[in-house]
Each structure stands twice: as C-alpha cells, then as structure tokens.
Amino acid sequence: MSVSEHQGRMSQEGKRAGAAPVKKEMSAFRDYRAEARPSVKELYRLNHENQTLAFVEEKKRQYLGLDRRRAGMWDVLEELDRLVDDSDPDTESSQIAHALQSAEAARRDDQPPWFILTALIHDAGKILALWGEPQWAVVGDTFPVGCAYSDRIVFPELFANNPDMTNPRYQTRCGIYEEGRGLSQVHMSWGHDEYLYHVLKDHLPLEAQYMIRYHSFYAAHREGAYEHLMNEQDRQMMEWVRRFNPYDLYSKADAPPDVAKLRPYYQDLITKYFPAELRW
Ligand code: FE
Ligand code: FE
C-alpha cells in the first residue's frame, strides 16, 4: 500500500477547546479494546501489515538525509499543535499540550534539565505526519523488523498479512541480526521515535537518545521482549526509557497547560541544548 493512498488520513482537528481535564485511574490508560476507540485498531492493522524491512529501509533513505528543512525546536512544537495522535487511546489534546504536560511533570519531580527537555520534545518527530506520512507510519508502538514479530506487541494477530511473514529469513527469533549485538544494529518499525533520534542524537546525552528512540517500544520496555537482541548498554539504558514512560503516559490527564506562561522557560531550555535551527 503506498504512502500517498493514505495521505489525508491524518487528524487535524486541533485541540478541543474547553474540554475539562478528567483524572483517570492508572488501569484505564492504554485501553486498546476496539470499542474504546475504533480508529486505534484500524491504525494498528495498517501499521502491522505495512511495516516491513523494505518499507523501513525506504523511509530511512527518504528522511535520514535530514535535508527537508531547517527549523527551531519551538517552531516545530507549535506546528505540531495541529495534530491529534490516532494511535493514542488516552488523549485528544493537542501535541503541544502533551509536550508541556510531560515536561511539567518531569519538572515537578526535579528531574535534570536534559530530562525535562527530552520530555518536552520526545514526540517532535510526529512532524512526519504534517508532511503527508500516514499516521500508521508515524505513531503507535514500535518493534523490530527483519526478525520474528513478538506476540507481546499490541494486536500481534494483525501481522498475519504482513509480507515479511512469508520470508522465513525474517521470521526466526533473531532474523537478519546477531544475538546480543545490540539494538543499534536493529531496524525498528518506522515512526516518530526513530526519526527524531536521528535529528537530535548529536545534541543530547545517551540516556535521552534512548528515551527518544525507544519510548514507543512497549514490547521491550514494558513486556520484556527482544532481550536477545540487546547488549549490555541497551539493558542499562532501557532503565531510562522505563523511567521516562510515566511522564509520557500519566501526565495526559493533567490540567491543560498555560502555553504562553510556560513558553519563556522552555524556549530558554531549548536554547541551552539545541542550535537555533535544527536539520529536519
Ligand atoms: Fe511518542
Ligand atoms: Fe508522547
């Protein structure tokens, strides 16, 4: 299925003005039952059918030259305000609200500045959706391609029609990879995590790079799958991915942030780590 067929699937409803924040029980997050939010399962059907090794390699060729545009981080966050993530059963608020809620939660817990900044920008790679990528190639949980899809990935049955299922080379436990050689050798399904990692990897500490690159890799950081592909560094750094997760997940029920009031603090933080213009 070509990317262009899915252009326009992206939600651009923007934020729901005046929606009251609702405090949720922890167990009510990541509720993927189809009736909870029908578009979520449809997104994962497209994602699991189309995320093949060849697709990921094509997207890397297309985007990782980082020659599409130059823009400052705050400008990108403001642009993302037009996007609502179809894969997320927990929020209908805008991306800048999610960015600031995550960062503010980290700030309240006295996390170090680089951690707060990482919480702020962790989803900036969703800019891909505003450039016409279908949501299934931008958002949602990520997983390795080129080796067997774990049954600990959300909706594992939806991989049945993925063309890589018919290639025996890609369906062994390690597939095209070497056991224990590390996640840096592994092609992850294409989306906002992988893309943003490449945009920012020279500007943030290793812990932050992992938090960005693997924050949607729930099969690993929550379910413990794919240990056999990791090396010692991955195992240590996954701890930071886990530490970051509550700020991504449980801050979504917080009250909507006052963007204008918070802006100077965060613009200052951005300036400390990133150049005025980043390559996207
Ligand atoms: Fe994300
Ligand atoms: Fe997020």
Side-chain angles (χ1 to χ4, degrees):
M1 204 166 299
S2 80
V3 166
S4 58
E5 281 175 75
H6 287 283
Q7 288 185 358
R9 287 188 51 81
M10 174 184 54
S11 298
Q12 289 199 18
E13 303 100 302
K15 71 178 101 176
R16 294 224 170 145
V22 184
K23 274 282 173 199
K24 293 210 287 191
E25 294 296 320
M26 301 264 255
S27 62
F29 286 90
R30 289 179 63 79
D31 182 350
Y32 284 114
R33 286 168 304 149
E35 66 271 26
R37 192 158 159 187
S39 63
V40 174
K41 189 162 187 182
E42 175 59 9
L43 181 141
Y44 275 109
R45 192 183 63 75
L46 291 164
N47 173 284
H48 288 7
E49 284 182 15
N50 292 292
Q51 292 274 0
T52 60
L53 179 61
F55 175 76
V56 169
E57 286 174 333
E58 181 203 317
K59 288 292 141 190
K60 286 182 165 179
R61 275 192 297 274
Q62 187 180 345
Y63 284 106
L64 296 189
L66 303 180
D67 51 9
R68 300 186 85 77
R69 64 179 289 202
R70 286 165 192 256
M73 181 55 83
W74 187 265
D75 292 342
V76 167
L77 293 178
E78 285 197 328
E79 265 177 62
L80 275 175
D81 220 23
R82 291 189 283 136
L83 180 77
V84 171
D85 181 340
D86 280 347
S87 78
D88 187 342
D90 297 325
T91 187
E92 294 194 11
S93 56
S94 71
Q95 289 296 312
I96 201 150
H98 173 53
L100 288 168
Q101 282 169 331
S102 304
E104 284 290 282
R107 184 146 76 125
R108 277 196 297 277
D109 286 354
D110 284 321
Q111 295 291 358
W114 63 264
F115 191 116
I116 298 168
L117 177 63
T118 302
L120 179 78
I121 56 82
H122 73 278
D123 278 338
K126 290 181 184 175
I127 193 78
L128 289 169
L130 295 181
W131 295 338
E133 288 294 330
Q135 287 226 0
W136 62 260
V138 178
V139 298
D141 291 7
T142 59
F143 44 83
V145 295
C147 62
Y149 300 114
S150 167
D151 59 9
R152 283 179 269 181
I153 299 167
V154 64
F155 297 125
E157 71 280 7
L158 297 180
F159 284 107
N161 294 326
N162 182 303
D164 282 1
M165 289 293 269
T166 61
N167 185 335
R169 218 184 136 230
Y170 298 160
Q171 290 310 317
T172 61
R173 194 164 148 273
C174 288
I176 62 170
Y177 311 112
E178 279 176 55
E179 179 140 12
R181 271 278 314 275
L183 291 177
S184 66
Q185 65 166 341
V186 173
H187 292 285
M188 298 294 293
S189 57
W190 179 252
H192 68 287
D193 309 53
E194 181 71 16
Y195 173 63
L196 187 67
Y197 159 75
H198 288 276
V199 173
L200 297 181
K201 64 183 184 334
D202 297 334
H203 304 290
L204 287 169
L206 187 63
E207 291 84 348
Q209 293 171 35
Y210 270 78
M211 284 156 57
I212 291 167
R213 195 176 196 180
Y214 300 112
H215 74 269
S216 304
F217 191 9
Y218 278 85
H221 71 67
R222 169 167 297 188
E223 305 298 331
Y226 296 107
E227 270 269 347
H228 53 284
L229 297 176
M230 296 183 194
N231 61 21
E232 196 42 46
Q233 176 183 281
D234 297 328
R235 273 185 278 276
Q236 284 174 20
M237 289 294 137
M238 273 296 157
E239 209 34 64
W240 286 92
V241 180
R242 281 184 206 102
R243 214 170 286 182
F244 166 67
N245 185 250
Y247 299 104
D248 191 10
L249 207 47
Y250 301 129
S251 64
K252 288 168 185 167
D254 293 352
D258 183 339
V259 179
K261 198 171 134 211
L262 294 170
R263 185 183 164 139
Y265 170 83
Y266 285 107
Q267 277 186 319
D268 195 51
L269 189 58
I270 284 170
T271 313
K272 286 196 175 101
Y273 285 85
F274 302 145
E277 285 194 334
L278 289 157
R279 292 180 54 213
W280 299 85

